[in-house]
Amino acid sequence: MPDQAEELRRRLQEVHGQGAGVMQTPASGQISGRVITVASGKGGVGKSNLCINFALGLQNIGYHPIVLDADIGFANVEVLLGARPKRTILDILDGADVWDTVQESASGLPFLSAGSGLLDIHSLTPRQMARLLEGVSRLHERYDVILVDGGAGIGENMERLIRAADQLLLVTTPEPTAIADGYSLLKLLAARGDCPPVQLVVNRVQTVLDGRVASEKLRLVAGRFLNMDVGVLGYVLDDDSVGRAVMRQTPLLLDAPNSTAARCFVQLVHNFVRAEVKPPKVGIAGFFERLFKRSRGRAGDPADPAVFPAHPVG
């Protein structure tokens, strides 16, 4: 497995070293310590695929990311990586060392399975909570970016994963239902307050213009009705290579690094590391502290008169 991982990394570096000059600078460190939740308003928009390839793109320029598979009940990360984790984050409660719970795929990407009970923490004793926090907080010793693959849709668990993070990557497609569901997720976050900075990725676009139209539609309604500033990270062009990579259970950046979609993923990373970003709230350790803290009662959601527009914004 290590030999295969090294070969795959070498191939990726060679391809991008021969490319158009994108991503040739080493990691600047400006996003180190950051926790990024990748989420979507609905399933089937390519969220997990983006999360994995985004992490590989960061790895290729010198960062040390780890993917936290928190898509409870689906575990898409391990499926897409062709891996079977032997342990999950909850094994720490039984005394497992955190480094024994971290898994590494054949492609060399480290990931951590959340298990089916990560967010069901109300039954944990204070001692168990302290053990869990002590273990996962050590991740910063080896990794400088955590990418959280959150579940699709709107729910309390998804909301908590987003609020605990330093940044939200919201993935959608140009389909009206996907855009509307993405808006609904932002609406929930806006109503509850304390939403991290949001950057939008429009996946599976036929043309760059389609991506611009879709992102502008969502950005404008979020600004008008939610008073939320949504950034646009970029677009991923529709590409049959993605489906073939999924079938092979190999990340696209390694399976078809010269493909159109792979170059789009690389450009997304390029855009992300060069964007002006706020310093992490409390870093990786703080993410888990915020995630596992006892929830407090909230008032009901305020009414929102927003009506999603029926036509694209030109």
Side-chain angles (χ1 to χ4, degrees):
M1 295 281 271
D3 292 339
Q4 182 184 9
E6 180 60 32
E7 173 64 17
L8 290 172
R9 280 194 289 267
R10 183 188 64 78
R11 284 175 49 205
L12 181 60
Q13 291 166 355
E14 283 181 354
V15 168
H16 292 300
Q18 296 167 359
V22 178
M23 307 296 291
Q24 295 304 303
T25 57
S28 66
Q30 68 176 13
I31 65 170
S32 292
R34 188 163 298 274
V35 179
I36 305 160
T37 294
V38 183
S40 61
K42 62 173 289 187
V45 299
K47 167 184 59 64
S48 297
N49 223 334
L50 183 137
C51 186
I52 290 170
N53 285 285
F54 196 89
L56 283 171
L58 288 172
Q59 193 177 64
N60 189 45
I61 58 169
Y63 286 99
H64 302 284
I66 182 172
V67 173
L68 172 61
D69 187 357
D71 196 350
I72 307 299
F74 292 93
N76 286 334
V77 166
E78 60 194 65
V79 173
L80 291 171
L81 290 173
R84 290 187 177 182
K86 297 178 181 179
R87 290 184 171 179
T88 75
I89 196 172
L90 295 182
D91 285 309
I92 296 173
L93 298 178
D94 296 325
D97 188 271
V98 64
W99 306 124
D100 292 330
T101 65
V102 173
Q103 313 290 301
E104 186 169 303
S105 70
S107 57
L109 181 66
F111 71 99
L112 187 57
S113 176
S116 60
L118 171 64
L119 298 177
D120 183 22
I121 49 87
H122 297 288
S123 61
L124 297 184
T125 66
R127 185 174 182 178
Q128 287 177 314
M129 183 76 74
R131 181 183 296 171
L132 185 59
L133 286 173
E134 190 279 331
V136 296
S137 295
R138 292 175 58 201
L139 290 174
H140 72 84
E141 296 173 12
R142 298 185 185 179
Y143 307 110
D144 49 23
V145 182
I146 287 184
L147 282 156
V148 182
D149 181 29
I154 303 169
E156 182 179 354
N157 287 347
M158 188 67 253
E159 181 187 348
R160 289 168 63 189
L161 284 169
I162 293 173
R163 292 189 187 287
D166 296 303
Q167 197 147 2
L168 167 63
L169 290 189
L170 179 61
V171 185
T172 186
T173 68
E175 296 177 0
T177 53
I179 297 174
D181 288 337
Y183 172 77
S184 296
L185 176 59
L186 293 179
K187 176 181 174 181
L188 173 66
L189 295 170
R192 298 284 172 80
D194 192 28
C195 178
V198 181
Q199 287 188 294
L200 180 67
V201 176
V202 187
N203 195 21
R204 299 174 186 163
V205 301
Q206 295 301 315
T207 66
V208 172
L209 178 60
D210 291 337
R212 288 175 180 167
V213 169
S215 59
E216 191 67 2
K217 176 191 293 187
L218 186 51
R219 190 186 68 80
L220 288 178
V221 295
R224 178 179 178 184
F225 296 112
L226 307 178
N227 195 29
M228 182 180 290
D229 183 16
V230 175
V232 179
L233 188 62
Y235 325 110
V236 180
L237 291 165
D238 198 20
D239 188 346
D240 291 340
S241 298
V242 176
R244 290 192 290 268
V246 170
M247 292 300 294
R248 296 185 183 107
Q249 294 183 277
T250 303
L252 181 68
L253 285 185
L254 301 173
D255 189 68
N258 278 321
S259 64
T260 299
R263 292 186 178 277
C264 290
F265 284 135
V266 170
Q267 187 63 50
L268 291 178
V269 175
H270 175 92
N271 296 343
F272 188 84
V273 299
R274 285 160 177 75
E276 287 190 18
V277 291
K278 296 179 180 178
K281 295 177 183 176
V282 205
I284 291 172
F287 167 77
F288 289 101
E289 291 175 0
R290 295 192 296 271
L291 180 62
F292 294 138
K293 70 180 180 180
R294 306 291 180 180
S295 59
R296 292 170 291 184
R298 302 188 187 96
D301 292 340
D304 188 334
V307 178
F308 201 83
H311 301 288
V313 177

